[in-house]
């Protein structure tokens, strides 16, 4: 199973699985939740056991218990108990029940594959819980656009491996991707770019499609974190609203990769008002706790020349353009906190002075220096080190394989040593995620190929956090599950 459960005991018994399932629910489970889990059961069991011999007289009882455990248990904890008489999934939370179901599903797959008759399943008892609350996967939909149906499949893959945070990179220099009711030029203009061959490329999600994705995520216990990257990586915004630049001119949504010198002006009050309005709209659309406001790779050349930015630096007693960026982050973070949200930013947000409220994503290099800096400043942090958890990198050193820059193998991901990121206050280390940037990922097939088996290692890292690692044992478990993914 992946991720490997914390405590597992095989009882030595087994019994013939029956596809005729009777599900018993505690009343604490809502009809929507029951409908979702019940539907998943039926769908998966029918598919898995299609054509297998089953005993037509039997009906199997599955108990779904959503109730206090009666003993102190960690967040996300669940029990899975498989007996010849019945199967019980129990948790204090809906998410925990989903985790139990994913574990049961994997167990059924393994069993179905390995037994002679294809129907016997082994009895067991599992108690399991995640080591980290943040187990994430990111998707850049700006460099290449992936429609909302693909995004739902992406969430299915995440759910199968108990990943619970979907980081949706919705804006960048190469395209803006959400319908905005307040600033419609963002999607009417900023969602499109002209490629070198003269063709138009782009797309965006309507607010209705976003709601469909959010419902899909909620059913699967996944929180969606929207990222609107500011003040850099904002050429699509500037193409729609050029007055937001330090020096307005006609801007184009970019069709080449890289870092743009043109960024949003942090000096003009009109820009601050625009960003507050925009983030308010985003906060209303996305019900989750977190909003990501980017903050990476914002060159300060324009700010150094801009009279508005210079006036802001003087007026706020800031030392330089670096501190102006942290002033901007701080201003937007306070606005979003007023709306009940928690802000996340890439580790550059630590370059000036920020308070301990924003959550930091440590990405540069191995992320250790950034994680320590966040920790020492009292900020919670999530790791996604560029050198280990960027899944747009190739999974093998073969120039014919898809992917960018360097190489991050399955072994590299599995062997990432989390102890390097743990400092005195362990609670500040929320967990980690892998990022899938899409400059070199033109389509969904390539995206899936790049996730590949590395998603297993990601899941294992932040759910199981194995204290001793055994790659060949891990490999055995991957092999047993290869039919699923
Ligand atoms: C990043 O990779 N620019 C966060
Ligand atoms: Zn400016």
């Amino acid at each position: 199973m992946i991720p490997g459960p914390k405590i597992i005991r095989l009882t030595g018994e087994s019994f013939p699985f029956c596809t005729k399932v009777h599900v018993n629910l505690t009343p604490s489970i809502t009809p929507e939740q029951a409908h979702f889990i019940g539907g998943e059961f039926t769908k998966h069991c029918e598919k898995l056991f299609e054509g297998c011999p089953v005993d037509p007289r039997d009906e199997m009882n599955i108990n779904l218990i959503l109730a206090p455990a009666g003993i102190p248990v960690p967040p996300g904890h669940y029990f899975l108990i498989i007996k010849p008489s019945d199967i019980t999934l129990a948790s204090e939370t809906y998410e925990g029940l989903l985790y139990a179901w994913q574990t049961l599903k994997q167990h059924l797959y393994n069993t179905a594959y390995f037994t002679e008759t294809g129907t016997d399943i082994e009895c067991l008892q599992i108690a399991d819980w995640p080591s980290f609350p943040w187990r994430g996967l990111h998707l850049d939909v700006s460099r290449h656009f992936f429609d909302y149906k693909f995004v739902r499949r992406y969430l299915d893959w995440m759910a199968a491996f108990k990943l619970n945070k979907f980081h949706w990179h919705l804006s960048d220099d190469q395209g803006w991707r959400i319908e905005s009711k307040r600033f419609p030029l963002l999607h009417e203009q900023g969602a499109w770019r002209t490629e070198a061959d003269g063709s138009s490329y782009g797309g965006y999600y309507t607010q209705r499609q976003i709601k469909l994705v959010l419902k899909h995520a909620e059913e699967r216990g996944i929180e969606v974190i929207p990222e609107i990257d500011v003040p850099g990586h904002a050429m699509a915004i500037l193409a729609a609203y050029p007055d937001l630049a330090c020096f307005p001119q006609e801007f184009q949504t970019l069709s080449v990769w890289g870092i743009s010198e043109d960024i949003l002006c942090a000096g003009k009050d009109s820009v601050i008002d625009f960003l507050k309005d925009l983030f308010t709209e985003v906060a209303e659309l996305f019900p989750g706790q977190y909003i990501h406001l980017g903050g990476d790779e914002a060159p300060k050349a324009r700010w150094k020349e801009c009279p508005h930015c210079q006036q802001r630096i003087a007026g706020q007693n800031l030392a330089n353009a670096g501190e102006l960026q942290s002033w901007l982050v701080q201003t937007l973070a306070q606005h979003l906190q007023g709306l009940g949200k928690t802000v996340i930013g890439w580790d550059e947000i630590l370059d000036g002075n920020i308070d301990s409220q924003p959550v930091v994503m440590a990405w540069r290099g191995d992320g250790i220096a950034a994680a320590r800096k966040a920790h020492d400043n009292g900020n919670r942090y999530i790791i996604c080190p560029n050198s280990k958890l960027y899944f747009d990198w190739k999974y093998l050193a073969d120039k014919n394989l898809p992917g960018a820059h360097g190489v991050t193998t399955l072994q590299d991901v599995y062997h990432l040593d989390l102890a390097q990121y743990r400092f005195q206050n362990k609670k500040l280390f929320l967990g980690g995620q892998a990022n899938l940037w899409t400059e070199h990922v033109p389509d969904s097939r390539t995206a899936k190929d790049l996730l590949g088996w590395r998603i297993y290692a990601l899941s294992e890292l932040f759910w199981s956090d194995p204290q001793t690692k055994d790659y060949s044992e891990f490999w055995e478990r991957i092999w047993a599950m290869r039919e699923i993914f």
Side-chain angles (χ1 to χ4, degrees):
M1 287 174 204
I2 291 177
K6 293 267 193 311
I7 299 171
I8 177 163
R9 195 172 82 86
L10 294 172
T11 64
E13 296 166 293
S14 68
F15 68 97
F17 186 81
C18 173
T19 49
K20 251 198 290 167
V21 170
H22 183 259
V23 181
N24 307 303
L25 304 160
T26 51
S28 48
I29 298 172
T30 68
E32 292 78 24
Q33 292 169 342
H35 181 75
F36 174 69
I37 300 192
E40 292 280 293
F41 258 111
T42 314
K43 235 175 18 205
H44 285 283
C45 292
E46 277 174 2
K47 199 165 117 201
L48 182 63
F49 293 97
E50 193 185 1
C52 290
V54 291
D55 184 341
R57 292 161 305 178
D58 280 334
E59 187 180 63
M60 199 167 66
N61 273 304
I62 295 193
N63 311 310
L64 289 181
I65 300 175
L66 179 60
I71 49 167
V73 290
H77 180 282
Y78 70 87
F79 289 112
L80 171 63
I81 310 212
I82 304 179
K83 293 193 285 198
S85 56
D86 57 6
I87 298 180
T88 299
L89 296 75
S91 179
E92 297 193 333
T93 60
Y94 174 64
E95 287 73 22
L97 281 185
L98 293 173
Y99 301 145
W101 160 231
Q102 294 299 348
T103 302
L104 174 59
K105 191 164 89 180
Q106 291 191 7
H107 182 63
L108 295 179
Y109 269 99
N110 291 350
T111 306
Y113 182 76
F114 281 114
T115 61
E116 289 281 297
T117 60
T119 56
D120 272 13
I121 75 166
E122 289 176 7
C123 296
L124 51 69
Q125 299 169 350
I126 285 177
D128 193 17
W129 63 94
S131 292
F132 291 92
W134 194 285
R135 305 176 306 280
L137 195 60
H138 152 289
L139 179 65
D140 166 11
V141 294
S142 175
R143 275 52 177 269
H144 282 99
F145 182 61
F146 298 84
D147 69 16
Y148 81 99
K149 291 187 180 157
F150 174 76
V151 174
R152 293 198 303 202
R153 286 178 57 212
Y154 205 74
L155 293 168
D156 292 343
W157 299 333
M158 288 181 63
F161 301 103
K162 305 187 177 86
L163 300 175
N164 66 344
K165 306 285 179 190
F166 173 53
H167 175 170
W168 207 357
H169 185 77
L170 287 161
S171 75
D172 214 299
D173 295 319
Q174 292 79 11
W176 172 272
R177 300 291 176 228
I178 44 182
E179 177 191 14
S180 171
K181 308 271 191 209
R182 292 195 191 204
F183 304 106
L185 291 181
L186 286 174
H187 63 269
E188 287 168 11
Q189 239 161 280
W192 304 95
R193 66 181 185 239
T194 306
E195 300 284 45
D197 65 2
S199 63
S200 176
Y201 180 93
Y204 63 89
Y205 308 102
T206 62
Q207 295 208 354
R208 187 184 149 271
Q209 289 172 340
I210 288 172
K211 285 177 184 146
L212 290 173
V213 169
L214 289 167
K215 176 169 181 287
H216 200 82
E218 187 186 353
E219 284 172 345
R220 285 156 185 76
I222 296 172
E223 178 175 349
V224 178
I225 294 91
E227 179 188 354
I228 307 300
D229 201 350
V230 298
H233 287 288
M235 286 299 282
I237 301 177
L238 290 179
Y241 296 100
D243 286 347
L244 301 172
C246 290
F247 303 101
Q249 61 174 83
E250 196 177 308
F251 294 105
Q252 304 293 332
T253 306
L254 297 186
S255 60
V256 291
W257 321 130
I259 297 175
S260 161
E261 296 270 302
D262 284 299
I263 66 173
L264 301 176
C265 177
K268 298 176 192 170
D269 288 340
S270 57
V271 178
I272 308 303
D273 292 343
F274 169 89
L275 288 174
K276 285 182 178 170
D277 280 355
L278 181 61
F279 277 109
T280 301
E281 182 174 17
V282 172
E284 284 165 359
L285 188 56
F286 290 87
Q289 180 61 46
Y290 298 97
I291 304 242
H292 198 308
L293 46 70
D296 59 326
E297 299 175 323
K300 303 299 183 302
R302 299 289 181 268
W303 288 6
K304 286 180 183 157
E305 304 291 320
C306 169
H308 304 282
C309 287
Q310 289 307 314
Q311 209 176 352
R312 178 84 70 202
I313 288 172
Q316 296 292 330
N317 282 322
L318 305 171
N320 50 39
E323 287 198 2
L324 179 56
Q325 166 145 343
S326 46
W327 174 85
L328 179 66
V329 169
Q330 195 77 43
T331 302
L332 296 174
Q334 274 161 12
H335 174 71
L336 283 164
Q337 281 156 25
L339 301 172
K341 302 288 185 181
T342 303
V343 156
I344 306 182
W346 299 110
D347 61 43
E348 286 94 331
I349 67 170
L350 290 166
D351 288 349
N353 297 313
I354 56 159
D355 68 25
S356 60
Q357 292 305 305
V359 174
V360 174
M361 270 186 184
W363 75 275
R364 284 180 287 180
D366 58 17
I368 297 172
R372 175 170 284 288
K373 198 166 171 187
H375 171 273
D376 292 350
N377 199 51
N379 299 76
R380 291 174 294 162
Y381 55 95
I382 295 153
I383 65 157
C384 46
N386 176 246
S387 57
K388 290 284 158 63
L389 295 178
Y390 270 34
F391 284 3
D392 53 320
W393 287 26
K394 294 180 194 304
Y395 48 81
L396 285 176
D398 175 343
K399 67 176 173 17
N400 297 314
L401 287 173
H405 317 302
V407 177
T408 293
T409 65
L410 178 65
Q411 286 205 45
D412 291 336
V413 179
Y414 178 73
H415 284 295
L416 180 61
D417 178 11
L418 299 187
Q420 302 172 99
Y421 304 91
R422 266 190 259 266
F423 310 111
Q424 196 173 8
N425 186 349
K426 309 262 180 308
K427 284 213 163 67
L428 296 177
F429 184 12
L430 295 184
Q433 66 179 39
N435 296 342
L436 188 61
W437 301 100
T438 59
E439 287 95 332
H440 305 282
V441 186
D443 50 41
S444 51
R445 221 179 117 173
T446 313
K448 183 161 190 258
D449 194 19
L450 284 166
L451 287 187
W453 290 0
R454 291 184 294 190
I455 196 174
Y456 299 151
L458 175 72
S459 149
E460 184 89 357
L461 270 180
F462 295 104
W463 177 284
S464 313
D465 186 18
Q467 296 307 298
T468 51
K469 297 195 185 186
D470 180 345
Y471 186 69
S472 55
E473 183 272 341
F474 175 60
W475 181 260
E476 291 282 318
R477 283 188 283 125
I478 290 185
W479 193 242
M481 296 214 322
R482 69 199 179 281
E483 303 283 326
I484 302 181
F485 186 61

